[in-house]
Amino acid sequence: MAEGAEIAIIGAGPAGLAAAEVLARAGRRVVVLEREAEAGGIPRHCAHSPYGLREFARPMLGPAYARALVARARAAGAEIRTATTVSAIRPGPEVEITSDAEGVGRIAPRLVLIATGARETSRAGRLIGGTKPGGVMNTGALQGLLHLNHRRPFARPVIVGSELVAFSALLSCLGAGMRPVAMIEAGTRPTARWPAALLPRALGVPVLLGTEIVAIEGGARVSGVVLRRGGDEWRLDADGVVLSGRFRPEAALIAPAHLVRDPATGGPEIDEFGRCSDPAFFAAGNVLRGIETAGACWAEGRGIAQAMLRALAGGLPAGPGGRIALGPGLGWVVPQRIAGGAAPALPVLQLRAAGALRGRLALGAGAREIAGRSLAALPERRLILPLPPAALADGAEVRLGPEG
């Protein structure tokens, strides 16, 4: 059982399961704690392709991909405890858990990996007015109803947002025989990269750019939405609303804990090895920034698991390292600190553009450039900058300067 676990992993999505497999294959005693009744994370709900290209070298539907990740972790020797909620994390490290089967318990491993994933911004978080009818939900709830409960919640919804998950919602609706009446995006162009934006048009679903949803109408069920573009408002008939994207890290455990939280991402602050401010805690996956694909989270979980093995052997540099400063126009960076050791678990800096950017993006210290690249980015785009081995730990800054 979990009482003898060396490593506790909180969350059984792609990042947590990938880490569990690596750690268990290295002979470590690993327990994965998952609050849902079934392990696998978000892909369990996504009955469409492609998943698994980098992990299994073939396209897979989400549920099959999730089952394969669970099977690999278990075959490696990891214990996976479902229907188990982590209620608190404390220095030590210590993990407090509750479950219907065993009640309240406590685990005191050597290391903890937080891999709790992300959640979509709710209606309240988007400040959408109107009445409160049934049939308003995020993409995860929609896909859970369709693929886990085999229920169709509506027939003609609107989809709010244009991140990749919005196109996942579109495919889920069409696969279940529902016909979205429109996709609504407040920006002047889709958030997802080309050619994703071609999909709704090819399927005959209008994409309303520069448009906001002002209010939701209806009694027991949604009857329509009020939209605004510029100074004009109009009503669109619909029987449901899917609020997609605007992911935020699922960081409820971190907020009351002793770990430093990054105000820009909402997730834990980490160094290039995935270590939190308390070096007994690591973090991986979408709890760090809320926007990566399942495959990217899987790769990240594997890399940070290797860093955890080095930590158990005393092979990581002392933390917490120097904090990376961000220049104008940049919204956030992961990792936020550089400890300066060789072979980072996160080989790149991941950044977010706060607006349209053009120039040379560079990691530097003073006048010295450590790594850089030319850049032309749209708002909300994810940016990548290589993080060289043994990058400077002190005085590091990411800045945007003129090209050339």
Side-chain angles (χ1 to χ4, degrees), residues 75-156:
E79 177 189 356
I80 301 176
R81 297 180 63 174
T82 56
T84 300
T85 299
V86 175
S87 52
I89 53 176
R90 300 186 180 92
E94 181 178 293
V95 178
E96 186 176 290
I97 60 174
T98 60
S99 69
D100 291 340
E102 300 186 29
V104 178
R106 184 180 66 89
I107 301 173
R110 293 179 63 185
L111 296 177
V112 175
L113 175 66
I114 303 169
T116 47
R119 55 182 171 81
E120 292 168 287
T121 300
S122 66
R123 174 182 177 176
R126 298 169 193 249
L127 304 177
I128 298 173
T131 60
K132 296 183 178 180
V136 181
M137 62 193 67
N138 62 27
T139 310
L142 167 67
Q143 293 175 330
L145 285 172
L146 292 177
H147 307 311
L148 302 181
N149 302 107
H150 309 291
R151 291 177 50 200
R152 290 199 319 171
F154 30 62
R156 302 182 70 250

Side-chain angles (χ1 to χ4, degrees), residues 71-330:
R72 290 216 308 204
R74 284 189 168 134
E79 177 189 356
I80 301 176
R81 297 180 63 174
T82 56
T84 300
T85 299
V86 175
S87 52
I89 53 176
R90 300 186 180 92
E94 181 178 293
V95 178
E96 186 176 290
I97 60 174
T98 60
S99 69
D100 291 340
E102 300 186 29
V104 178
R106 184 180 66 89
I107 301 173
R110 293 179 63 185
L111 296 177
V112 175
L113 175 66
I114 303 169
T116 47
R119 55 182 171 81
E120 292 168 287
T121 300
S122 66
R123 174 182 177 176
R126 298 169 193 249
L127 304 177
I128 298 173
T131 60
K132 296 183 178 180
V136 181
M137 62 193 67
N138 62 27
T139 310
L142 167 67
Q143 293 175 330
L145 285 172
L146 292 177
H147 307 311
L148 302 181
N149 302 107
H150 309 291
R151 291 177 50 200
R152 290 199 319 171
F154 30 62
R156 302 182 70 250
V158 294
I159 298 173
V160 181
S162 64
E163 296 179 40
L164 279 177
V165 70
F167 299 98
S168 176
L170 174 63
L171 292 173
S172 293
C173 285
L174 294 173
M178 299 180 290
R179 187 76 185 177
V181 296
M183 294 183 72
I184 300 165
E185 168 55 46
T188 57
R189 62 182 72 207
T191 302
R193 294 182 184 274
W194 189 91
L198 300 178
L199 177 64
R201 292 186 174 91
L203 297 171
V205 177
V207 179
L208 307 181
L209 298 174
T211 304
E212 298 178 282
I213 180 167
V214 178
I216 299 172
E217 298 180 344
R221 305 291 304 172
V222 173
S223 61
V225 295
V226 178
L227 304 177
R228 178 189 296 149
R229 181 188 295 134
D232 297 327
E233 289 191 4
W234 73 98
R235 185 181 184 279
L236 182 65
D237 287 337
D239 65 354
V241 178
V242 181
L243 301 170
S244 73
R246 293 196 190 177
F247 282 100
R248 298 294 293 169
E250 184 56 84
L253 276 175
I254 299 166
H258 63 297
L259 303 178
V260 175
R261 189 172 178 180
D262 178 36
T265 63
E269 185 178 278
I270 62 166
D271 66 13
E272 72 268 39
F273 304 102
R275 285 183 302 186
C276 300
S277 55
D278 179 343
F281 289 83
F282 288 69
N286 278 335
V287 72
L288 296 177
R289 84 314 257 161
I291 60 167
E292 284 293 354
T293 63
C297 291
W298 173 86
E300 192 169 85
R302 291 180 62 85
I304 291 176
Q306 293 290 348
M308 294 175 76
L309 291 172
R310 290 170 62 189
L312 290 170
L316 292 186
R323 202 174 202 286
I324 300 172
L326 286 181
L330 299 171

